[in-house]
Structure formats: C-alpha cells, structure tokens
Amino acid sequence: MLENKSVYYVTSWDDAAVYTRALEAMNIPHAVESPGSPLDLSEGQLAIVLPHLPARTHSKVRELFQGEGERYPD
C-alpha cells in the first residue's frame, strides 16, 4: 500500500506495464489503481500513483511520463 499519494498519471493498460517496469528499475515507489478507485478513470485506463518525491526524482518521473501528473485527490 502506498502512503502519501501525491500525483498520478493516467495511462492505458498496455503502457502501465512499461511505466511500472521503468519505475521499478529506478526504485521509485508507486501504485497502480484501476477504475473504481477514488480517481475518475474510464474503462481501459489505469493510474500510476506516486508519493511525494524529492525534486530530482520528480524530474525523472516527469521525463518518463513526458509531463506533469495530476494531483491526487485528498
């Protein structure tokens, strides 16, 4: 279970596996959430959820996903 959920990136099921492997290789904690979670996801979408990260690590994540994530709802 991931604590301190901060941001998320919406992706397809296929791409989620690629992102998950990349995050694991960089030792970045994350979780994958599916439709029915607190997030507004459509069928066929998953969310890669990340905790608060140090600036340098956050920069790597932005580069991986090619942009900023959405803020995780409180």
PDB file of all heavy atoms in Angstrom, residues 5-8 33 37-39 47 49-50 70-74:
ATOM      1  N   LYS A   5      -0.069   9.589  -1.066  1.00  0.00           N
ATOM      2  CA  LYS A   5      -0.310   9.693  -2.510  1.00  0.00           C
ATOM      3  C   LYS A   5      -0.329  11.166  -2.893  1.00  0.00           C
ATOM      4  O   LYS A   5      -1.046  11.962  -2.306  1.00  0.00           O
ATOM      5  CB  LYS A   5      -1.617   9.020  -2.883  1.00  0.00           C
ATOM      6  CG  LYS A   5      -1.589   7.527  -2.614  1.00  0.00           C
ATOM      7  CD  LYS A   5      -2.925   6.891  -2.871  1.00  0.00           C
ATOM      8  CE  LYS A   5      -2.872   5.410  -2.565  1.00  0.00           C
ATOM      9  NZ  LYS A   5      -4.175   4.767  -2.795  1.00  0.00           N
ATOM     10  N   SER A   6       0.475  11.523  -3.875  1.00  0.00           N
ATOM     11  CA  SER A   6       0.640  12.922  -4.247  1.00  0.00           C
ATOM     12  C   SER A   6       0.140  13.218  -5.662  1.00  0.00           C
ATOM     13  O   SER A   6      -0.652  14.121  -5.861  1.00  0.00           O
ATOM     14  CB  SER A   6       2.115  13.306  -4.128  1.00  0.00           C
ATOM     15  OG  SER A   6       2.330  14.621  -4.535  1.00  0.00           O
ATOM     16  N   VAL A   7       0.645  12.478  -6.633  1.00  0.00           N
ATOM     17  CA  VAL A   7       0.277  12.714  -8.030  1.00  0.00           C
ATOM     18  C   VAL A   7      -0.027  11.386  -8.717  1.00  0.00           C
ATOM     19  O   VAL A   7       0.359  10.321  -8.235  1.00  0.00           O
ATOM     20  CB  VAL A   7       1.391  13.447  -8.824  1.00  0.00           C
ATOM     21  CG1 VAL A   7       1.670  14.806  -8.258  1.00  0.00           C
ATOM     22  CG2 VAL A   7       2.648  12.621  -8.889  1.00  0.00           C
ATOM     23  N   TYR A   8      -0.724  11.493  -9.847  1.00  0.00           N
ATOM     24  CA  TYR A   8      -0.972  10.292 -10.639  1.00  0.00           C
ATOM     25  C   TYR A   8      -0.928  10.632 -12.118  1.00  0.00           C
ATOM     26  O   TYR A   8      -1.103  11.780 -12.521  1.00  0.00           O
ATOM     27  CB  TYR A   8      -2.308   9.646 -10.270  1.00  0.00           C
ATOM     28  CG  TYR A   8      -3.530  10.436 -10.653  1.00  0.00           C
ATOM     29  CD1 TYR A   8      -4.210  10.174 -11.844  1.00  0.00           C
ATOM     30  CD2 TYR A   8      -4.016  11.445  -9.832  1.00  0.00           C
ATOM     31  CE1 TYR A   8      -5.339  10.890 -12.198  1.00  0.00           C
ATOM     32  CE2 TYR A   8      -5.146  12.160 -10.172  1.00  0.00           C
ATOM     33  CZ  TYR A   8      -5.803  11.882 -11.350  1.00  0.00           C
ATOM     34  OH  TYR A   8      -6.915  12.612 -11.704  1.00  0.00           O
ATOM     35  N   GLU A  33      -3.644   2.015  -9.851  1.00  0.00           N
ATOM     36  CA  GLU A  33      -5.066   2.000  -9.489  1.00  0.00           C
ATOM     37  C   GLU A  33      -5.897   1.855 -10.754  1.00  0.00           C
ATOM     38  O   GLU A  33      -5.537   2.361 -11.812  1.00  0.00           O
ATOM     39  CB  GLU A  33      -5.442   3.268  -8.728  1.00  0.00           C
ATOM     40  CG  GLU A  33      -4.748   3.351  -7.381  1.00  0.00           C
ATOM     41  CD  GLU A  33      -5.237   4.489  -6.523  1.00  0.00           C
ATOM     42  OE1 GLU A  33      -6.231   5.155  -6.879  1.00  0.00           O
ATOM     43  OE2 GLU A  33      -4.609   4.728  -5.473  1.00  0.00           O
ATOM     44  N   SER A  37     -11.482   3.186  -8.330  1.00  0.00           N
ATOM     45  CA  SER A  37     -10.695   3.806  -7.261  1.00  0.00           C
ATOM     46  C   SER A  37     -11.230   5.223  -7.062  1.00  0.00           C
ATOM     47  O   SER A  37     -12.143   5.654  -7.763  1.00  0.00           O
ATOM     48  CB  SER A  37      -9.219   3.837  -7.655  1.00  0.00           C
ATOM     49  OG  SER A  37      -8.988   4.808  -8.656  1.00  0.00           O
ATOM     50  N   PRO A  38     -10.660   5.997  -6.143  1.00  0.00           N
ATOM     51  CA  PRO A  38     -11.117   7.374  -5.960  1.00  0.00           C
ATOM     52  C   PRO A  38     -10.907   8.265  -7.195  1.00  0.00           C
ATOM     53  O   PRO A  38     -11.417   9.367  -7.258  1.00  0.00           O
ATOM     54  CB  PRO A  38     -10.266   7.889  -4.798  1.00  0.00           C
ATOM     55  CG  PRO A  38      -9.734   6.685  -4.126  1.00  0.00           C
ATOM     56  CD  PRO A  38      -9.665   5.618  -5.163  1.00  0.00           C
ATOM     57  N   LEU A  39     -10.172   7.764  -8.163  1.00  0.00           N
ATOM     58  CA  LEU A  39      -9.882   8.557  -9.361  1.00  0.00           C
ATOM     59  C   LEU A  39     -10.952   8.343 -10.423  1.00  0.00           C
ATOM     60  O   LEU A  39     -11.553   7.275 -10.515  1.00  0.00           O
ATOM     61  CB  LEU A  39      -8.509   8.173  -9.913  1.00  0.00           C
ATOM     62  CG  LEU A  39      -7.364   8.301  -8.925  1.00  0.00           C
ATOM     63  CD1 LEU A  39      -6.075   7.785  -9.542  1.00  0.00           C
ATOM     64  CD2 LEU A  39      -7.205   9.739  -8.479  1.00  0.00           C
ATOM     65  N   ALA A  47      -4.172   4.199 -13.460  1.00  0.00           N
ATOM     66  CA  ALA A  47      -3.437   5.353 -12.952  1.00  0.00           C
ATOM     67  C   ALA A  47      -2.181   4.857 -12.246  1.00  0.00           C
ATOM     68  O   ALA A  47      -2.246   3.940 -11.428  1.00  0.00           O
ATOM     69  CB  ALA A  47      -4.285   6.161 -11.990  1.00  0.00           C
ATOM     70  N   VAL A  49       0.221   5.903  -9.542  1.00  0.00           N
ATOM     71  CA  VAL A  49       0.148   6.839  -8.417  1.00  0.00           C
ATOM     72  C   VAL A  49       1.506   6.882  -7.724  1.00  0.00           C
ATOM     73  O   VAL A  49       2.119   5.837  -7.480  1.00  0.00           O
ATOM     74  CB  VAL A  49      -0.947   6.400  -7.418  1.00  0.00           C
ATOM     75  CG1 VAL A  49      -1.058   7.379  -6.280  1.00  0.00           C
ATOM     76  CG2 VAL A  49      -2.284   6.241  -8.133  1.00  0.00           C
ATOM     77  N   LEU A  50       1.933   8.103  -7.413  1.00  0.00           N
ATOM     78  CA  LEU A  50       3.239   8.302  -6.791  1.00  0.00           C
ATOM     79  C   LEU A  50       3.112   9.109  -5.510  1.00  0.00           C
ATOM     80  O   LEU A  50       2.228   9.969  -5.401  1.00  0.00           O
ATOM     81  CB  LEU A  50       4.157   9.045  -7.768  1.00  0.00           C
ATOM     82  CG  LEU A  50       4.377   8.324  -9.091  1.00  0.00           C
ATOM     83  CD1 LEU A  50       4.716   9.300 -10.187  1.00  0.00           C
ATOM     84  CD2 LEU A  50       5.460   7.298  -8.944  1.00  0.00           C
ATOM     85  N   GLU A  70      -1.357  14.586 -12.503  1.00  0.00           N
ATOM     86  CA  GLU A  70      -2.495  15.223 -11.870  1.00  0.00           C
ATOM     87  C   GLU A  70      -2.358  15.076 -10.354  1.00  0.00           C
ATOM     88  O   GLU A  70      -1.853  14.059  -9.885  1.00  0.00           O
ATOM     89  CB  GLU A  70      -3.798  14.554 -12.319  1.00  0.00           C
ATOM     90  CG  GLU A  70      -4.047  14.625 -13.807  1.00  0.00           C
ATOM     91  CD  GLU A  70      -4.341  16.038 -14.272  1.00  0.00           C
ATOM     92  OE1 GLU A  70      -4.998  16.784 -13.518  1.00  0.00           O
ATOM     93  OE2 GLU A  70      -3.905  16.381 -15.368  1.00  0.00           O
ATOM     94  N   ARG A  71      -2.833  16.066  -9.625  1.00  0.00           N
ATOM     95  CA  ARG A  71      -2.764  15.984  -8.164  1.00  0.00           C
ATOM     96  C   ARG A  71      -3.754  14.928  -7.674  1.00  0.00           C
ATOM     97  O   ARG A  71      -4.917  14.898  -8.105  1.00  0.00           O
ATOM     98  CB  ARG A  71      -3.110  17.336  -7.558  1.00  0.00           C
ATOM     99  CG  ARG A  71      -2.990  17.301  -6.060  1.00  0.00           C
ATOM    100  CD  ARG A  71      -2.983  18.674  -5.471  1.00  0.00           C
ATOM    101  NE  ARG A  71      -2.700  18.519  -4.058  1.00  0.00           N
ATOM    102  CZ  ARG A  71      -3.425  19.050  -3.099  1.00  0.00           C
ATOM    103  NH1 ARG A  71      -4.443  19.816  -3.385  1.00  0.00           N
ATOM    104  NH2 ARG A  71      -3.117  18.845  -1.850  1.00  0.00           N
ATOM    105  N   TYR A  72      -3.294  14.055  -6.775  1.00  0.00           N
ATOM    106  CA  TYR A  72      -4.160  13.020  -6.217  1.00  0.00           C
ATOM    107  C   TYR A  72      -5.162  13.680  -5.280  1.00  0.00           C
ATOM    108  O   TYR A  72      -4.778  14.506  -4.454  1.00  0.00           O
ATOM    109  CB  TYR A  72      -3.325  11.975  -5.463  1.00  0.00           C
ATOM    110  CG  TYR A  72      -4.076  10.701  -5.220  1.00  0.00           C
ATOM    111  CD1 TYR A  72      -4.054   9.682  -6.160  1.00  0.00           C
ATOM    112  CD2 TYR A  72      -4.825  10.515  -4.072  1.00  0.00           C
ATOM    113  CE1 TYR A  72      -4.753   8.506  -5.959  1.00  0.00           C
ATOM    114  CE2 TYR A  72      -5.535   9.354  -3.854  1.00  0.00           C
ATOM    115  CZ  TYR A  72      -5.490   8.344  -4.808  1.00  0.00           C
ATOM    116  OH  TYR A  72      -6.194   7.184  -4.608  1.00  0.00           O
ATOM    117  N   PRO A  73      -6.436  13.338  -5.387  1.00  0.00           N
ATOM    118  CA  PRO A  73      -7.443  13.990  -4.531  1.00  0.00           C
ATOM    119  C   PRO A  73      -7.246  13.667  -3.047  1.00  0.00           C
ATOM    120  O   PRO A  73      -6.815  12.557  -2.711  1.00  0.00           O
ATOM    121  CB  PRO A  73      -8.780  13.439  -5.044  1.00  0.00           C
ATOM    122  CG  PRO A  73      -8.438  12.213  -5.808  1.00  0.00           C
ATOM    123  CD  PRO A  73      -7.020  12.343  -6.273  1.00  0.00           C
ATOM    124  N   ASP A  74      -7.564  14.626  -2.213  1.00  0.00           N
ATOM    125  CA  ASP A  74      -7.435  14.440  -0.758  1.00  0.00           C
ATOM    126  C   ASP A  74      -8.493  13.519  -0.220  1.00  0.00           C
ATOM    127  O   ASP A  74      -9.542  13.360  -0.656  1.00  0.00           O
ATOM    128  CB  ASP A  74      -7.530  15.779  -0.035  1.00  0.00           C
ATOM    129  CG  ASP A  74      -6.328  16.649  -0.358  1.00  0.00           C
ATOM    130  OD1 ASP A  74      -5.245  16.106  -0.566  1.00  0.00           O
ATOM    131  OD2 ASP A  74      -6.497  17.875  -0.408  1.00  0.00           O
TER     132      ASP A  74
END
